[in-house]
C-alpha cells in the first residue's frame, strides 16, 4: 500500500544501484528466494539450512539434517515446503510449518541440483554427479525413483553419420542440470556435452534435443512465465533462449527449433561465470564472475551490459534476483556472507514538513488576495465542516499483489530462536571483546544426526527432531541493547 | 506508590492521563471547564474514586446543551446546500447496540481493550499492571497476565491470536502466550520512557512501538531487538499502527503531527498536520488502509485521506468530549451485505460511546453505561459487537440485534458457493438462517437483563 506514496522515480527503477546490506549466518553456499519474496533460504557449507526473513534481516528458521555443503534449494509453489540437496548425497524436503522433515531421500552420488515440481511438492527432479538424472516421487514413505535418459535424441541418419568414437562419447553423457518447465509436464536438462534435452515427464522419454554449446552446461534457470531460459555454460558464454509453449498440444517436438537469443560474454577478460539468474520480470540477466568481485547485469532487449554492481572484496558464487523487486542477493564464496544490492531511497524532506515545498530555483511568492484577511474562527470551522460532504469508503479493499489470501501458507514466527547468530565464527567473551570460535564447536548435533541416519533413511519417515527449536549447546553470543 | 513521584514526573502523568494540556487554547466550542479537582490529577496518581466520575458527569451535564447543538448541527450537515446524498441504499439512521456484559476484575482503570483477530477473546490492560483475557461470548475470565512493574497502556494481538504484546510504564514491552499466561523470557527493552502504543505487523514478524520518549521503534520479534528507530516526533508519541499489508506505519504525537512511514526503508512518506495543530493522541488506519482516523484533544476525530496530494482531512467527527485523555476507538460495519456501511466509534470523557456514520457524520448511536471516561473501544472482527474499557475499571460488551445472517458465517458460505447456488444448497442455507434466527432469539431472551461477570 506504500506504492501510492513512494517517489515515482524510485518506483520506475528496476535495476539495483548499490550494496545496501549483508545477511550473515554461518558460511552460506547457496541461496534461493521464495515465490512471495519475503524469505530467503540459505544453505550453509556445514549442511544447515537457514531461512532469512527479508523484512527483518533476521533468521526465521534453522533446519539441521545435512552433513555437507548444500548444493541447491527449491521452494514449493505455495512456499510451505523447501527442498535442499547436499553433497552428502541426500535430498531433504522440509515443512516450514514446524521445521520438520517430510522426506529424506538418499542417492548414490553427490547432487548438483534438485527442483520441486511446480504443482506437486511431493515430486522432484535431481541431477547427480556423473550419473543419470532421477525423477523422484515421495508421495509414499518409500520414494519412487525413476532414472531419466541423458543421451540426446537424434534421427537415425544423424546417428549413423557419427564416428564410433563420437558415438561412445555420446553414450557416456551425463546430465549436469535439470529443471522443470513452468507446467511441470516437461523437464529441461543440460548435459555434460552441451546438449539441451526436453524430457516428457509422463513418458520419461527425451522428446527433443538441441546442441547449444560445445562445453558442459553448468546451470539453467527459467523466468516465472517459463518462456525464457538462461543457460550458463563452461565455455564462458551465457545464452538466453526463447522457449516455445510446451503445453500447447500442437507443439511439434521433432521439428522444434530452439534458437539462442543472446550470448553474453566478456571477450576482453575472458571471464567465466559462477551463477546466472533472471531479474523479476526477465528483462535483465545477472551473473556473478569467477575469481572476480563484481555482479554483471545485462538487459535482454538489446543484449547490452547495463551495470556492474560493485561487490565486496570477495568472489561471489550464487547470485539471486528477488521475485518482484530490484533486489539482488549474492553469496561471498570465501567466507559465506550474503550481500544485498538494492535501490537507495533518499528521504524527501517535503514529506516531513507538509507546508514546505521543494523547488528547483527561487520563486517569487505571490500573496493571495484574502490571505491575511481576518475571519472569525467559528465561521471558518463551520465552513470547513460543510465542505466535508464526499462519500468515503473505508471498507472496500483493492486487490493487490502483495496482499495475503487467507488460504495461503504463512510461516509461523518462532520466538525462541535465540541461537540465531550463535554459529558465527566470532563469539563474545566480554564487553567489546570477541574471539574466533574454535573449529568444530557447535557441531555435536552432527554426530547425533549420523547415528540416527540409517534408521531415518530406511523408514524415510518423519523424524521427530524439530529443528530450529532445539537449542544449540554452544555459548550464545548475546548483545542486548543497554 | 504514585504519590512518591517526583514533581517532574507529574507533568507526565503516566498511563492513561497522557496529555494534559492546560496551555493549549481550545478551538472548539466546548470549553474545558472541568472541576478543578480533576484537571491536574492523573488517573494513576490517585486511583480514581467514584465521586470524581460524578464530577465528570457534572461537567458533562454543564456542557450538555452545547453538545446537543453540535449533534443537531452534525445531523444537518450532509444535506447542506440542499444536496441530499443520493447513495443507492437507504442508510440506517440508528444502530441498536445494547449492553450485554460487564466484566469486572481490574483494580484500576482499563487503558485498552482489544478483540483477538479470530474474535474469540477480548484482552484488556489496566493501570493495575495486569492484562486480562476474557471469552468474548461468555465473558468468562481466561487468564490474568501479570509481570509488568507498572501500569500497562497498550496491548496488541499477534495475527495468530496466540500472543499478546503489552507496553508498560516500566518502559518495557513484553510478549505473552495467551494459553499458558506466561510472559516470553526476554522483555523488549530500549525505550527510555513509558510505552504508549503497540502494533503487530500483519505477518507477526515485527512490532512497532511508540513511547513517551518521542521515539518510534520497529522491533524484530524473533530477536527481541529494535531493528530500526524512526526519528519521529518532538513530543510523546501517542499511537502507532500498521496498515493492513504491513508496508506502512503511522505514528502520531502531541506535537500535532501524524506521520506515515515506509516499513521497508524507514523513511517518512507523508506528514499530516491540521491547521489547529491540536495534540494528536491516537491514530488508526481504516480497514482498507486508504484513510487514517485521528483523535485530537480538541474533542474531534478526523478522517484523513493521506494519499491524495499532501494529505487532506475529509471528515471531522464531533460530539464526544476529549480534552485530556488519549482516547481511542475503532471502525465497525453495519447494514446488510451488498450495502454495508462503516461507522466509527469512540469513547468519550463523559462516559458515553459514540458511533458515527463514516460518510454522513450522522451520530448513529450513543451508548451510555460507563461511569467515567471511556478509554478504548474495539469492534469484533466479524460479528456485530463492540467492547469498551474505561476508567471505571470495567470492560463492557455491547451487541447489536441486527440479524446475524448477513454477517460473517454466511458471508463465507456465500463466497464459497459464489452466485450459482444449487437449489438443495439454497434450502439448506435457508434452514441454517432460520436456525440462526431461532438461536438469536433464544440468546436475546436469555440475556434480556445485562449480565455481570466478575473476573
Amino acid at each position: 500500500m506504500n506504492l501510492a506514496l513512494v517517489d515515482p522515480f524510485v518506483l520506475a527503477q528496476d535495476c539495483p544501484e548499490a550494496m545496501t546490506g549483508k545477511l550473515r549466518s554461518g558460511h552460506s553456499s547457496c541461496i534461493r528466494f521464495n515465490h512471495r519474496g519475503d524469505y530467503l533460504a540459505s544453505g550453509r557449507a556445514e549442511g544447515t539450512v537457514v531461512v532469512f526473513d527479508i523484512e527483518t534481516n533476521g533468521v526465521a528458521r534453522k533446519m539441521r539434517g545435512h552433513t555437507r555443503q548444500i548444493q541447491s534449494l527449491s521452494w514449493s509453489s505455495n512456499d510451505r515446503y523447501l527442498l535442499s540437496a547436499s553433497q552428502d548425497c541426500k535430498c531433504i524436503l522440509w515443512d516450514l510449518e514446524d521445521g520438520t522433515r517430510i522426506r529424506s531421500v538418499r542417492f548414490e552420488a553427490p547432487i548438483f541440483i534438485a527442483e520441486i515440481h511446480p504443482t506437486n511438492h511431493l515430486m522432484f527432479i535431481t541431477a547427480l554427479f556423473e550419473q543419470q538424472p532421477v525423477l523422484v516421487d515421495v508421495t509414499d514413505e518409500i520414494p519412487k525413483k525413476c532414472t531419466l535418459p541423458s543421451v540426446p535424441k537424434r534421427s537415425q541418419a544423424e546417428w549413423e553419420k557419427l564416428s564410433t568414437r563420437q558415438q561412445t562419447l555420446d553414450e557416456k553423457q551425463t546430465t549436469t542440470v535439470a529443471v522443470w518447465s513452468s507446467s511441470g509436464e516437461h523437464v529441461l536438462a543440460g548435459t555434460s556435452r552441451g546438449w539441451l534435452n526436453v524430457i516428457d515427464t509422463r513418458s520419461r522419454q527425451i522428446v527433443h534435443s538441441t546442441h547449444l554449446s560445445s562445453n558442459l552446461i553448468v546451470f539453467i534457470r527459467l523466468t516465472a512465465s517459463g518462456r525464457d531460459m538462461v543457460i550458463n555454460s563452461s565455455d564462458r558464454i551465457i545464452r538466453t533462449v526463447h522457449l516455445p509453449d510446451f503445453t500447447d498440444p500442437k507443439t511439434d517436438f521433432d521439428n522444434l527449433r530452439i534458437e539462442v537469443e543472446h550470448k553474453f560474454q566478456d571477450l576482453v577478460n575472458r571471464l567465466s561465470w559462477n551463477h546466472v539468474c533472471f531479474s523479476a520480470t526477465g528483462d535483465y540477466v545477472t551473473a556473478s564472475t569467477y575469481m572476480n568481485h563484481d555482479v554483471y547485469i545485462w538487459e535482454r532487449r538489446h543484449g547490452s551490459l547495463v551495470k556492474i554492481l560493485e561487490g565486496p572484496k570477495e568472489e561471489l558464487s550464487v547470485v539471486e534476483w528477488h521475485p518482484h523487486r530490484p533486489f539482488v542477493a549474492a553469496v561471498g564464496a570465501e567466507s559465506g556472507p550474503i550481500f544485498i544490492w538494492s535501490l537507495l531511497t533518499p528521504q524527501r524532506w517535503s514529506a516531513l514538513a507538509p507546508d514546505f515545498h521543494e523547488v528547483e530555483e527561487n520563486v517569487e511568492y505571490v500573496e493571495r488576495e484574502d490571505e491575511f484577511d481576518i475571519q472569525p474562527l467559528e465561521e471558518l470551522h463551520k465552513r470547513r465542516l460543510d465542505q466535508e460532504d464526499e462519500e468515503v469508503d473505508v471498507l472496500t479493499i483493492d486487490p493487490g499483489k502483495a496482499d495475503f489470501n487467507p488460504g495461503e501458507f504463512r510461516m509461523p514466527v518462532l520466538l525462541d530462536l535465540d541461537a540465531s547468530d550463535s554459529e558465527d565464527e566470532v563469539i563474545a567473551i566480554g564487553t567489546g571483546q570477541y574471539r574466533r570460535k574454535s573449529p568444530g564447536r557447535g557441531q555435536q548435533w552432527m554426530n547425533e544426526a549420523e547415528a540416527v541416519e540409517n534408521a531415518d533413511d530406511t523408514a524415510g519417515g518423519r523424524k521427530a527432531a524439530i529443528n530450529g527449536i532445539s537449542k544449540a549447546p554452544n555459548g550464545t553470543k548475546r548483545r542486548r541493547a543497554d | 506508590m504514585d504519590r512518591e513521584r517526583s514533581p517532574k514526573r507529574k507533568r507526565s502523568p503516566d498511563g492513561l492521563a497522557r496529555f494534559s494540556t492546560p496551555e493549549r487554547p481550545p478551538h472548539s466550542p466546548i470549553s474545558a471547564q472541568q472541576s478543578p479537582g480533576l484537571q491536574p490529577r492523573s488517573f494513576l496518581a490517585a486511583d480514581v474514586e467514584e465521586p470524581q466520575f460524578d464530577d465528570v458527569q457534572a461537567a458533562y451535564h454543564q456542557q450538555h446543551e452545547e453538545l446537543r447543538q453540535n449533534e443537531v448541527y452534525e445531523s444537518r450537515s450532509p444535506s447542506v446546500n440542499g444536496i441530499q446524498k443520493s447513495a443507492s441504499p437507504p442508510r440506517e439512521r440508528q444502530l441498536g447496540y445494547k449492553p450485554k456484559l460487564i466484566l469486572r476484575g481490574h483494580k484500576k482503570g482499563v487503558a485498552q481493550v482489544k478483540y483477538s483477530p479470530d474474535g474469540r477473546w477480548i484482552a484488556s490492560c489496566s493501570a493495575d499492571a495486569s492484562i486480562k483475557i476474557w471469552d468474548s461470548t461468555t465473558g468468562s475470565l481466561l487468564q490474568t497476565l501479570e509481570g509488568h512493574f507498572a501500569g500497562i497502556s497498550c496491548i496488541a494481538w499477534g495475527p495468530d491470536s496466540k500472543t499478546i504484546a503489552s507496553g508498560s510504564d516500566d518502559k518495557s514491552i513484553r510478549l505473552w502466550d495467551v494459553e499458558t499466561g506466561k510472559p516470553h523470557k526476554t522483555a523488549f527493552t530500549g525505550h527510555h520512557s513509558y510505552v504508549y502504543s503497540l502494533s503487530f505487523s500483519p505477518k507477526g514478524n515485527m512490532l512497532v512501538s511508540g513511547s513517551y520518549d518521542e521515539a518510534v521503534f520497529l522491533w524484530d520479534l524473533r530477536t527481541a531487538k529494535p531493528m530500526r528507530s524512526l526519528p519521529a516526533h518532538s513530543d510523546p508519541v501517542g499511537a502507532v499502527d500498521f496498515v493492513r499489508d504491513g508496508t506502512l506505519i503511522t505514528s502520531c504525537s502531541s506535537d500535532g503531527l501524524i506521520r506515515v512511514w515506509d516499513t521497508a526503508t524507514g523513511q517518512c512518506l507523508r506528514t499530516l498536520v491540521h491547521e489547529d495543530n491540536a495534540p494528536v493522541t491516537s491514530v488508526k488506519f481504516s480497514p482498507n488502509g486508504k484513510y487514517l482516523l485521528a483523535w485530537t484533544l480538541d474533542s474531534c476525530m478526523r478522517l484523513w485521506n493521506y494519499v491524495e496530494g499532501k494529505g487532506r482531512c475529509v471528515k471531522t467527527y464531533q460530539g464526544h468530549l476529549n480534552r485530556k485523555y488519549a482516547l481511542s476507538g475503532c471502525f465497525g460495519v453495519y447494514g446488510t451485505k451488498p450495502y454495508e456501511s462503516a461507522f466509527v466509534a469512540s469513547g468519550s470523557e463523559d462516559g458515553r460511546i459514540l458511533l458515527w456514520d463514516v460518510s454522513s457524520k450522522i451520530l448513529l448511536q450513543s451508548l451510555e453505561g460507563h461511569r467515567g471516561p471511556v478509554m478504548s473501544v474495539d469492534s469484533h472482527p466479524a460479528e456485530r459487537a463492540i467492547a469498551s474499557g474505561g476508567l471505571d475499571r470495567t470492560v463492557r460488551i455491547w451487541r447489536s440485534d441486527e440479524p446475524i445472517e448477513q454477517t460473517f458465517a454466511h458471508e463465507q458460505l456465500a463466497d464459497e458457493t459464489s452466485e450459482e447456488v444449487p437449489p438443495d444448497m439454497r434450502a439448506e442455507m435457508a434452514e441454517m438462517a432460520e436456525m440462526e434466527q431461532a438461536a438469536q432469539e433464544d440468546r436475546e431472551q436469555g440475556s434480556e437483563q445485562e449480565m455481570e461477570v466478575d473476573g
Side-chain angles (χ1 to χ4, degrees), chain B residues 179-406:
Chain B
E179 269 148 45
T180 65
K182 295 269 183 304
H184 188 243
K185 61 183 182 300
T186 42
F188 292 44
T189 50
H191 277 300
H192 300 301
S193 192
Y194 325 125
V195 181
Y196 271 173
S197 179
L198 280 174
S199 179
F200 261 97
S201 74
K203 266 192 222 151
N205 57 351
M206 291 183 281
L207 193 65
V208 65
S209 66
S211 159
Y212 188 82
D213 66 9
E214 304 172 4
V216 173
F217 280 4
L218 193 58
W219 302 83
D220 180 353
L221 219 67
R222 298 185 181 97
T223 60
K225 286 175 193 153
M227 256 167 65
R228 182 166 275 149
S229 154
L230 306 176
H233 295 282
S234 54
D235 266 322
V237 178
V240 288
D241 193 19
F242 263 106
V243 77
R244 50 180 296 282
D245 70 351
T247 54
L248 296 172
I249 292 170
T250 182
S251 67
C252 70
S253 157
S254 44
D255 59 10
L257 304 180
I258 303 161
R259 292 196 200 274
V260 180
W261 308 84
D262 191 320
T263 312
T265 62
Q267 277 164 354
C268 180
L269 296 177
R270 189 74 89 217
T271 301
L272 307 174
V273 57
H274 194 256
E275 284 165 52
D276 297 348
N277 208 26
V280 190
T281 55
S282 191
V283 69
K284 208 179 186 70
F285 277 105
S286 69
N288 64 2
K290 288 181 181 165
Y291 296 90
L292 280 170
L293 183 63
W295 279 253
T296 45
L297 286 187
D298 56 358
S299 293
C300 287
M301 285 155 68
R302 292 193 175 84
L303 190 72
W304 291 84
N305 179 339
Y306 64 91
V307 181
E308 225 171 80
K310 293 206 164 231
R312 192 163 55 87
C313 174
V314 290
K315 298 284 168 190
T316 306
Y317 307 99
Q318 284 180 318
H320 63 307
L321 180 64
N322 185 9
R323 302 246 146 228
K324 184 179 174 194
Y325 296 103
L327 306 182
S328 65
C330 63
F331 286 91
V333 176
Y334 72 93
T336 51
K337 181 63 184 165
Y339 304 115
E340 271 181 339
S341 329
F343 66 81
V344 291
S346 170
S348 169
E349 282 165 19
D350 55 29
R352 295 182 301 159
I353 301 162
L354 283 80
L355 280 62
W356 295 265
D357 180 81
V358 167
S359 283
S360 68
K361 302 191 284 178
I362 295 172
L363 188 68
L364 294 166
Q365 200 179 359
S366 162
L367 301 169
E368 299 192 18
H370 277 286
R371 301 167 65 200
V374 182
M375 297 300 298
S376 173
V377 180
D378 195 19
S379 63
H380 193 283
E383 292 164 19
R384 305 290 197 243
I386 56 179
S388 62
L391 293 197
D392 61 356
R393 310 174 202 171
T394 61
V395 173
R396 287 166 199 253
I397 300 175
W398 317 75
R399 278 180 195 284
S400 165
D401 297 335
E402 245 186 288
I404 210 155
E405 65 219 275
Q406 286 91 22

Side-chain angles (χ1 to χ4, degrees), chain A residues 33-70:
Chain A
F33 283 101
N34 70 343
H35 295 88
R36 279 181 64 82
D38 46 0
Y39 293 108
L40 177 70
S42 153
R44 303 206 314 208
E46 91 310 345
T48 311
V49 177
V50 174
V51 179
F52 288 99
D53 186 331
I54 296 297
E55 287 168 4
T56 65
N57 286 353
V59 174
R61 266 221 204 265
K62 209 175 256 191
M63 298 173 292
R64 299 196 177 88
H66 290 291
T67 50
R68 279 167 195 274
Q69 180 172 320
I70 307 291

Side-chain angles (χ1 to χ4, degrees), chain A residues 161-459:
Chain A
K161 261 190 270 167
L162 296 176
S163 67
T164 358
R165 192 179 148 272
Q166 275 174 319
Q167 279 181 1
T168 47
L169 277 176
D170 224 37
E171 300 272 294
K172 270 206 248 164
Q173 268 188 67
T174 60
T175 296
T176 49
V177 57
V179 295
W180 294 100
S181 70
S182 59
S183 64
E185 286 172 26
H186 296 89
V187 173
L188 297 157
T191 72
S192 55
R193 295 180 57 75
W195 284 81
L196 175 75
N197 293 329
V198 182
I199 306 168
D200 188 308
T201 313
R202 236 167 284 136
S203 67
R204 294 186 218 109
Q205 292 302 315
I206 295 176
V207 291
H208 177 80
S209 294
T210 303
H211 195 219
L212 287 172
S213 154
S214 54
N215 289 46
L216 181 145
I217 290 181
V218 180
F219 192 73
I220 293 178
R221 179 59 65 80
L222 267 60
T223 52
S225 68
R227 297 298 299 274
D228 295 286
M229 178 165 73
V230 61
I231 298 146
N232 184 22
S233 163
S234 60
D235 63 0
R236 305 178 181 201
I237 299 172
I238 295 167
R239 293 169 175 83
T240 61
V241 167
H242 192 73
L243 292 175
D245 185 5
F246 290 133
T247 53
D248 187 354
K250 288 198 282 287
T251 308
D252 178 10
F253 285 101
D254 293 326
N255 301 316
L256 205 63
R257 285 186 65 81
I258 293 180
E259 298 277 354
V260 173
E261 179 195 41
H262 289 297
K263 285 185 181 180
F264 301 119
Q265 56 185 323
D266 186 331
L267 292 168
V268 182
N269 299 319
R270 299 288 297 147
L271 290 172
S272 72
W273 313 103
N274 282 342
H275 194 93
V276 292
C277 110
F278 273 117
S279 72
T281 51
D283 292 340
Y284 296 91
V285 171
T286 182
S288 57
T289 52
Y290 177 65
M291 298 287 281
N292 208 321
H293 305 163
D294 301 323
V295 174
Y296 281 60
I297 298 177
W298 296 270
E299 59 94 34
R300 259 182 57 217
R301 204 166 313 139
H302 306 289
S304 57
L305 179 69
V306 287
K307 203 165 266 182
I308 299 174
L309 296 174
E310 294 275 325
K313 301 262 173 293
E314 194 167 354
E315 184 189 335
L316 299 166
S317 54
V318 177
V319 59
E320 286 287 336
W321 197 300
H322 190 276
H324 316 301
R325 287 195 282 148
F327 185 101
V328 168
V331 173
E334 280 141 48
S335 58
I338 299 163
F339 301 98
I340 287 165
W341 289 263
S342 65
L343 297 177
L344 297 169
T345 44
Q347 173 70 54
R348 280 189 307 146
W349 301 109
S350 61
L352 290 163
D355 40 351
F356 276 56
H357 298 271
E358 280 174 33
V359 286
E360 292 287 309
E361 48 193 64
N362 284 338
V363 177
E364 196 163 326
Y365 187 72
V366 182
E367 188 182 300
R368 229 170 47 239
E369 175 58 35
D370 59 344
E371 188 162 356
F372 295 102
D373 289 3
I374 296 164
Q375 284 173 328
L377 269 177
E378 297 282 300
E379 204 150 296
L380 263 179
H381 195 64
K382 190 161 179 272
R383 199 184 312 155
R384 209 189 289 146
L385 291 179
D386 286 351
Q387 280 165 357
E388 298 173 352
D389 57 355
E390 64 185 288
E391 278 290 306
V392 171
D393 181 3
V394 295
L395 298 176
T396 314
I397 292 160
D398 289 340
K401 179 166 65 174
D403 274 352
F404 201 89
N405 300 324
E408 243 174 284
F409 171 68
R410 193 196 301 232
M411 195 156 98
V413 174
L414 292 185
L415 299 176
D416 297 314
L417 205 89
D418 61 355
S420 54
D421 50 6
S422 64
E423 278 150 62
D424 276 359
E425 57 270 46
V426 283
I427 52 171
I429 52 168
T431 41
Q433 289 178 292
Y434 298 92
R435 68 168 170 80
R436 282 189 86 81
K437 193 156 48 177
S438 46
R441 278 278 275 156
Q443 311 228 329
Q444 290 92 325
W445 62 269
M446 256 190 212
N447 307 331
E448 295 157 30
E450 291 281 329
V452 292
E453 199 156 78
N454 290 331
D456 193 43
D457 267 78
T458 46

Side-chain angles (χ1 to χ4, degrees), chain A residues 25-97:
Chain A
S25 171
H27 186 305
S28 178
S29 60
C30 166
I31 51 171
R32 190 86 184 256
F33 283 101
N34 70 343
H35 295 88
R36 279 181 64 82
D38 46 0
Y39 293 108
L40 177 70
S42 153
R44 303 206 314 208
E46 91 310 345
T48 311
V49 177
V50 174
V51 179
F52 288 99
D53 186 331
I54 296 297
E55 287 168 4
T56 65
N57 286 353
V59 174
R61 266 221 204 265
K62 209 175 256 191
M63 298 173 292
R64 299 196 177 88
H66 290 291
T67 50
R68 279 167 195 274
Q69 180 172 320
I70 307 291
Q71 281 299 111
S72 107
L73 292 162
S74 170
W75 292 83
S76 69
S77 51
N78 63 354
D79 290 338
R80 175 168 174 172
Y81 305 99
L82 180 66
L83 181 72
S84 60
S86 160
Q87 287 179 354
D88 65 3
C89 312
K90 271 197 305 186
C91 280
I92 299 180
L93 185 65
W94 306 93
D95 185 351
L96 292 173
E97 172 73 36

